[in-house]
Amino acid sequence: SVLLTGWDFVSVLEVWMDFAFAILLVLFLALFGCEEKTTNTEDSSPWTQQLINHLGNTGDFETVTFEFNTPDGLTTETVILNDLTNGIDAVPGDDWIKIQWVPFVNEEDLEFMRVYRLRKTANNSAPVVLVDSLRTGIFEHYEDKTLAQQGFSPINNEWIYYIEIVNRAGRSSFSDSVSYKLLEKPIPISPNPGVTVLAGEPLTFSWNILPGGGISRYRVLLFDSFFNLKWFFNEVDTDPESDILEVLYDGDTLESGDYYWRVDAFGEEVNINSGSESEERPLFVQ
């Protein structure tokens, strides 16, 4: 047998203690790493996202409140109603539809979202179309500009939308659905694009009525250069003697500057969100 001196015994003991500590450390890291990996792999699906239904039309009222669910319970939010915050809606640029969603929950865990659309039919047999895929957290709303590419007219069809959100673990969840029916756009006539008018002088807005019918009212809207709503007028005469409607500006005297105006049309169907927005025409006041 080998006789260990006091120094040798202590040295061997220290070596074994260091070795045991290293083993425990490796086991701890392995267990911790496995636990974290398991958590990511077995991650639950993302919180069910909600789309914002049509909250109203620009000019209806200044603010609007809507409710939505969160992991902490029901939440209400009040927003200033304008073209960007009224949920699903028509877009003045073309025959497009804008959809909007409530703020994302646990956004740091989300990777991307998919936008789906289908055309409403009597038996709901229309195919679902994947419109687009986009990164979450970058966009607050989405404009569907592909309706004209379908085999059906964008006009006088009710379009249903929903979204799917996907997290880093590859799990996904689907939102509720919203729908909107596009109508034919009014055509602005006067003032001509970019015309200059004198402040305080009579100012008349005119446009072509929509021959297809189904319109409950028109609304002329005037915006400043920052697209703040300055004035609007509701016209309910949807069947005039001629095919042109016109209204006289009766608001406050306009200051010099750039303005934009357009005409919105609203459908007469009570239970269907429907409408259209004409192109926005520039106007200069001197």
Side-chain angles (χ1 to χ4, degrees):
S1 62
V2 178
L3 181 63
L4 297 176
T5 64
W7 184 88
D8 292 331
F9 178 80
V10 172
S11 299
V12 172
L13 182 60
E14 289 178 347
V15 170
W16 276 103
M17 290 179 65
D18 292 341
F19 180 76
F21 177 79
I23 293 296
L24 290 175
L25 180 62
V26 170
L27 290 174
F28 174 80
L29 293 176
L31 290 174
F32 180 81
C34 288
E35 182 180 356
E36 185 174 10
K37 183 176 180 180
T38 301
T39 301
N40 288 337
T41 303
E42 299 177 356
D43 188 17
S44 59
S45 298
W47 175 256
T48 301
Q49 194 63 31
Q50 290 176 265
L51 297 178
I52 300 178
N53 204 355
H54 187 71
L55 299 178
N57 303 296
T58 301
D60 281 352
F61 27 74
E62 293 184 359
T63 62
V64 62
T65 301
F66 62 95
E67 296 182 339
F68 58 95
N69 292 313
T70 70
D72 298 325
L74 190 66
T75 299
T76 60
E77 183 171 346
T78 300
V79 297
I80 298 175
L81 185 66
N82 53 41
D83 283 354
L84 295 179
T85 59
N86 55 7
I88 187 170
D89 196 27
V91 179
D94 209 329
D95 293 326
W96 304 334
I97 293 179
K98 173 186 68 67
I99 63 171
Q100 186 183 0
W101 46 86
V102 302
F104 283 107
V105 177
N106 298 329
E107 188 173 300
E108 65 277 4
D109 296 326
L110 304 180
E111 281 291 308
F112 63 94
M113 59 179 287
R114 300 184 180 103
V115 180
Y116 296 93
R117 179 195 66 229
L118 67 153
R119 185 177 60 90
K120 187 172 183 178
T121 60
N123 56 7
N124 293 324
S125 61
V128 176
V129 176
L130 173 59
V131 179
D132 205 349
S133 297
L134 55 151
R135 300 282 297 184
T136 59
I138 299 178
F139 305 93
E140 296 180 354
H141 66 273
Y142 178 81
E143 292 183 1
D144 181 9
K145 302 179 180 181
T146 67
L147 285 171
Q149 302 172 9
Q150 307 308 303
F152 300 90
S153 170
I155 308 303
N156 293 323
N157 273 300
E158 187 176 357
W159 302 98
I160 301 173
Y161 291 87
Y162 62 92
I163 64 173
E164 177 189 16
I165 56 175
V166 184
N167 63 14
R168 294 176 181 174
R171 296 184 178 271
S172 64
S173 65
F174 292 91
S175 72
D176 55 352
S177 63
V178 293
S179 66
Y180 196 84
K181 182 178 181 180
L182 280 182
L183 304 177
E184 189 176 351
K185 289 180 176 295
I187 301 176
I189 298 177
S190 178
N192 292 322
V195 70
T196 299
V197 299
L198 298 178
E201 292 293 320
L203 176 60
T204 300
F205 297 97
S206 63
W207 66 96
N208 283 106
I209 67 167
L210 301 178
I215 306 299
S216 64
R217 69 190 187 280
Y218 295 94
R219 177 174 294 168
V220 183
L221 302 110
L222 179 67
F223 304 89
D224 64 16
S225 58
F226 299 101
F227 280 93
N228 297 310
L229 182 62
K230 303 297 293 183
W231 173 85
F232 70 92
F233 185 90
N234 290 316
E235 176 57 72
V236 295
D237 183 10
T238 59
D239 189 22
E241 295 180 357
S242 69
D243 60 352
I244 296 176
L245 280 171
E246 62 179 25
V247 297
L248 180 66
Y249 175 77
D250 60 357
D252 297 333
T253 300
L254 298 173
E255 298 179 355
S256 297
D258 295 321
Y259 294 86
Y260 299 88
W261 72 281
R262 75 165 191 257
V263 182
D264 291 356
F266 306 111
E268 60 184 4
E269 298 172 272
V270 177
N271 298 322
I272 299 178
N273 296 318
S274 60
S276 63
E277 300 176 359
S278 76
E279 64 172 343
E280 291 170 339
R281 285 195 167 183
L283 171 70
F284 184 75
V285 176
Q286 187 175 26

